[in-house]
Amino acid sequence: MTGTRILVLNSGSSSVKYQLLDMRDESRLAVGLVERIGEQTSRLKHTPLTGGGVGREFNGPIADHDAALKAVAEELSKDGLGIDSPELAAIGHRVVHGGMFFTEPTLIEEEVIAEIERLIPVAPLHNPANLTGIRTARALRPDLPQVAVFDTAFHTSMPESAARYAIDPKIADRHRIRRYGFHGTSHAYVSRATARLLGKAPEEVNVIVLHLGNGASASAVRGGRCVDTSMGLTPLEGLVMGTRSGDLDPAVIFHLARVGGMSMDEIDTLLNKRSGLFGLCGDNDMREIRRRIDEGDEEARLAFDIYIHRLKKYIGAYYAVLGTVDAVAFTAGVGENAAPVRQAAIEGLESLGLALDPGHNEVRGDVPRLISPKDARVAVAVVPTDEELEIATQTYALVERYRIAPPPRGN
């Protein structure tokens, strides 16, 4: 294998996000998105980033993921970047749930696909879509190495005391019930990037990573290894999110079923799609919530306060878990762009060595930066996440390793 390009695919239930990167310098050659797959109003947006190519957009029906990936391959070919190119070393796939079986990026073979299928009950929205992308890509390039990079893998280093729920372990093991965590590629990337920002190796720092987007999660990273994270068996546990409730007394579910007369499906929809910020105030866009607060909207203010209260609890809890904290890093859409969220989350935590420089906090940018005062005991950073680069890096490292030392036949 002589190619240095990696195609990263993130297949959702009705969408495919993709990026083509050259790992010689980690440059992006093309990015794109296919959305509303299976509808008459499907859209493909493709942007070449090299050779003076012009961005293109297609609007019209795209029947399924097979048609979507074939359309992506065609767009890449128009720019001389086709997936049949010898420069393409591998395809890296984001897979949301790897359970405890997959602790690192994995070359995709039939037994790997079978295990991802077995995990569908604990990731019913994500793993089926990820599998569709894998199968279609393998059909398009059966000769090419394809690698699964798992959202859960970074969190498999959690000790049992953090990963286990306090229920009968026989029942838990039978049904694979434990805390897996998600957003792992983001937490891995950001924790390492934060260490670099501090001029240290990942093994030398303890970091609290706050991945705040529509989905939101926190992690405690000690010396480059995750020791706790806020999401659990599913992405529902933890922080208040755009449409998810986060932490909840489990008896609320029994109460809604017995007293409220709601079905399990109705409760599932309530907690995953009609709760969080959206459930509290009717908006899950932090920009809109801040606008409403500025206009005196008390419903939006309460939603924001609940969001921040939960966030502070996790910062404090993970400070206690780590014992010593070198940095708190904000990332993802809200974490990178919402200065009021960062200010409110850190405010009042001065006794923990946390503080913000107001001027630095207001600065917007797309590079990692410190927003704490120079003399702060604990650094506070904004670190733009790059999950696609993380997937590409892990994929390329794996196929390069196999090129140098192929695995034994049958593995």
Side-chain angles (χ1 to χ4, degrees), residues 28-293:
R28 284 169 173 75
L29 305 178
V31 300
L33 167 68
V34 188
E35 56 186 347
R36 298 192 291 274
I37 295 171
E39 301 180 20
Q40 293 297 310
T41 57
S42 305
R43 181 177 77 131
L44 188 160
K45 185 175 182 180
H46 174 83
T47 306
L49 301 174
T50 184
V54 178
R56 300 180 293 275
E57 187 170 322
F58 168 81
N59 293 276
I62 297 177
D64 51 30
H65 283 71
D66 182 66
L69 284 179
K70 287 177 179 176
V72 169
E74 183 177 339
E75 292 302 317
L76 288 168
S77 293
K78 292 177 183 177
D79 301 309
L81 303 170
I83 65 170
D84 57 348
S85 168
E87 286 297 309
L88 187 61
I91 298 176
H93 297 266
R94 179 200 181 206
V95 179
V96 167
H97 215 309
M100 290 302 294
F101 190 81
F102 299 111
T103 61
E104 58 186 13
T106 304
L107 197 67
I108 296 172
E109 297 177 336
E110 290 304 319
E111 58 267 31
V112 174
I113 291 175
E115 182 63 21
I116 295 171
E117 282 184 323
R118 282 192 286 271
L119 287 162
I120 286 176
V122 289
L125 298 179
H126 299 96
N127 275 28
N130 301 154
L131 281 168
T132 299
I134 287 170
R135 289 188 171 112
T136 302
R138 292 182 89 206
L140 287 172
R141 280 297 306 269
D143 60 311
L144 194 69
Q146 311 222 9
V147 175
V149 178
F150 298 91
D151 270 14
T152 49
F154 182 63
H155 304 304
T156 58
S157 59
M158 284 192 296
E160 288 292 277
S161 57
R164 286 278 187 179
Y165 291 109
I167 65 174
D168 184 329
K170 293 180 180 177
I171 293 175
D173 291 345
R174 185 183 311 142
H175 300 289
R176 302 188 182 208
I177 297 172
R178 62 186 292 120
R179 302 186 63 252
Y180 294 101
F182 299 88
H183 296 145
T185 52
S186 177
H187 286 281
Y189 176 85
V190 171
S191 61
R192 288 201 304 271
T194 302
R196 286 196 301 270
L197 186 61
L198 299 180
K200 297 182 178 180
E203 296 78 15
E204 298 175 321
V205 299
N206 292 349
V207 185
I208 297 172
V209 178
L210 304 172
H211 177 107
L212 308 179
N214 192 51
S217 60
S219 68
V221 183
R222 177 184 292 128
R225 294 170 60 84
C226 177
V227 295
D228 205 350
T229 192
S230 58
M231 287 179 167
L233 174 71
T234 75
L236 182 60
E237 187 180 356
L239 302 174
V240 175
M241 303 176 223
T243 64
R244 299 183 192 126
S245 66
D247 290 341
L248 190 77
D249 180 348
V252 170
I253 296 171
F254 312 145
H255 185 80
L256 290 173
R258 294 168 180 161
V259 179
M262 296 177 69
S263 69
M264 286 295 107
D265 286 345
E266 288 172 330
I267 296 171
D268 190 322
T269 298
L270 171 68
L271 298 182
N272 277 291
K273 298 181 179 179
R274 292 173 43 214
S275 295
L277 292 170
F278 178 79
L280 289 166
C281 71
D283 272 309
N284 62 326
D285 188 320
M286 187 59 72
R287 294 165 297 188
E288 182 63 16
I289 291 171
R290 290 303 310 178
R291 184 194 65 78
R292 287 172 55 184
I293 291 172

